Structures are given as structure tokens and as C-alpha cells.
Amino acid sequence: MGKIISIVNQKGGVGKTTTAINLAASLAVLEYKTLVVDADPQANTTSGLGFDPKNVKIGLYEVMINDALAKDAIFKTEFEFLDVLPSNIDLVGAEIELINIPNRERILKGAMEKIKKNYDFIIIDCSPSLGLITTNALTASDSVIIPVQCEYFALEGLGKLLNTIKIVQSSLNPELQIEGLLLTMYDMRLRLSNQVVEEVKMHFQQLVFDTIIQRNTRLSEAPSFGKPVIAHDAECKGTINYLNLAKELLQKNGMTKLSQFEPQTI
């Protein structure tokens, strides 16, 4: 039975989509069957994996609003162990259309339960909001990863997000856990980056992943090629960072196997 993890932060530009794509691809390279779900109307995860959102006839919108089966919306990627459930601009309307649906917060959970057994991990890329689609993702998930950029105002809005998670835990999904806070966009040359790392670790301690995602040109340009960074440049910092994150996630969940999971350094 697969573990469902939402990548969530209502702030934009913190590395949610980058993390969803590259964590999922890293897990797939390590031969864990992985599905990435694009729950953002911008559909950047869809395009970042080489699919044109305009050509998506059955995607997350159809699954949540038109009762399409999730298995019929899944695309295979170039990676043997990586699939994607894509999105398109239609998902913008789902927020409004969900309002009048009974049990509207549990629509995605019902859809995921039908395919969960087919995967080791399901990674959901959430939109930069705390609306109904994100609430659906949190209700469907076993845990959340919260990307936090190593920049000014890094902790701004985190209190609201953590409060939303508490509300979901108390009323919709008592099993929901925080998998960890992930520090992103780290530049070791900047004092501010180091200050943010210290501040986040001081506030959240054991909840912070040891792996830190560094700023990396190859990581930034990979989406324009419709590829995860590991397929764009297998030896760059971005690739190694996300492989290490995947290994750390596996270790936290007691799923490591063989010595291939020794973290790499660069």
C-alpha cells in the first residue's frame, strides 16, 4: 500500500513543483513505483515531465469533478517506475464546482484509494493556496513535506499553514503527519541562507530534513526541457540533493534496501 505525500506551502516560488517532480523521479530511479499528481491549475508538474497540459483530455479535474477513474488519467513517463496524473487549466474551476458536492473535502481521497495499492509513493504537488483542492490533497495524504526557501520572510505564512494542517487533522484526517520541512534555494555563499537554516532548525528541530536543496542552474533549467533534473544532468548538485532527499525519506519510513542508499555528497 503506497504512502501519499503532499508537497504544500501556500507561498509561491518556494520549490513545491521542483520538489514534487524531482523527489518523485529520484524515488523512481531507486526503483520505487511512484505516481506524481499535479494538483495545481498552473500544471507546471505536467509540463515539467514533458506533457502539454493543453493535450490533457482526462486529468485531475475530470477525476475530481466528472467521476473519471484515476487509473484512466495516468500517463507513463520516460522512467519505468514513474507515472503522472496530469492537470490543466480546467482545474481552476474545480474550487467553485466542489462547493456544492457532498463530502467535497474527501473527493481526492476516494480517487486515490482506488490506485494507492499500485504504488510505493504518491506525491501530490499542491497549488500555492489553502483552498479546497489543497484541502482535498491534505485529506488524502498520509503526510506532508513543506518546502521552505532560504530567503527573507522564509517563515512568513508557516503558522497559517501549520494551523490549516491542524484543522485537517482534527476534522478530516487524524492520521496526517508532517513528514518534514525541506530547506530549498540554499546558497552557501549568502549569510542570509545560513541564518534561515539556523532559524528554521531552531524553531522546528527534528521536523527539518537533513538534506538541503541548493540553488543550481541545471535544476532550474530542467523543466524547460520537460525533464526531471536527473534526466537532464545526472551529476549536478540538484540531482544529488534530490537523490539524497529520496534516500532520507526512505530511511525515515524504514524502506531502505541494500547499500545503494548511502547518501551521496558533492
Side-chain angles (χ1 to χ4, degrees), residues 44-92:
N44 290 334
T45 294
T46 300
S47 59
L49 286 168
F51 300 97
D52 186 345
K54 294 187 182 118
N55 296 332
V56 172
K57 302 295 182 240
I58 303 178
L60 189 62
Y61 173 84
E62 286 72 25
V63 171
M64 294 185 71
I65 303 299
N66 296 337
D67 295 326
L69 294 174
K71 68 181 180 66
D72 294 333
I74 290 170
F75 289 23
K76 297 279 181 190
T77 72
E78 63 180 291
F79 293 89
E80 181 184 354
F81 291 90
L82 181 62
D83 296 342
V84 60
L85 200 168
S87 177
N88 58 30
I89 195 64
D90 291 347
L91 198 59
V92 169

Side-chain angles (χ1 to χ4, degrees), residues 29-196:
V29 165
L30 296 171
E31 300 188 352
Y32 287 83
K33 186 71 175 155
T34 305
L35 172 70
V36 58
V37 177
D38 192 347
D40 185 346
Q42 295 176 81
N44 290 334
T45 294
T46 300
S47 59
L49 286 168
F51 300 97
D52 186 345
K54 294 187 182 118
N55 296 332
V56 172
K57 302 295 182 240
I58 303 178
L60 189 62
Y61 173 84
E62 286 72 25
V63 171
M64 294 185 71
I65 303 299
N66 296 337
D67 295 326
L69 294 174
K71 68 181 180 66
D72 294 333
I74 290 170
F75 289 23
K76 297 279 181 190
T77 72
E78 63 180 291
F79 293 89
E80 181 184 354
F81 291 90
L82 181 62
D83 296 342
V84 60
L85 200 168
S87 177
N88 58 30
I89 195 64
D90 291 347
L91 198 59
V92 169
E95 290 277 348
I96 297 167
E97 294 178 63
L98 281 168
I99 288 171
N100 296 318
I101 297 177
N103 284 320
R104 57 184 180 265
E105 298 92 354
R106 294 184 169 89
I107 302 291
L108 185 57
K109 181 179 176 69
M112 292 297 102
E113 281 176 348
K114 294 173 185 171
I115 58 170
K116 194 174 181 180
K117 66 182 184 297
N118 301 330
Y119 295 95
D120 296 307
F121 289 96
I122 297 176
I123 308 292
I124 305 177
D125 179 27
C126 296
S127 65
S129 77
L130 296 176
L132 262 176
I133 296 174
T134 298
T135 302
N136 262 268
L138 293 174
T139 304
S141 294
D142 299 298
S143 66
V144 298
I145 291 175
I146 304 170
V148 178
Q149 82 279 32
C150 295
E151 294 178 356
Y152 201 58
F153 294 136
L155 298 179
E156 188 182 59
L158 265 186
K160 186 175 181 185
L161 172 58
L162 294 171
N163 191 49
T164 299
I165 291 170
K166 280 183 185 171
I167 292 168
V168 171
Q169 286 169 328
S170 63
S171 60
L172 295 166
N173 183 5
E175 306 300 316
L176 183 65
Q177 302 287 323
I178 295 177
E179 194 75 44
L181 278 73
L182 175 67
L183 290 156
T184 63
M185 304 179 190
Y186 174 73
D187 187 337
M188 63 171 50
R189 299 166 301 178
L190 299 179
R191 185 195 301 175
L192 177 61
S193 280
N194 292 299
Q195 286 174 338
V196 170

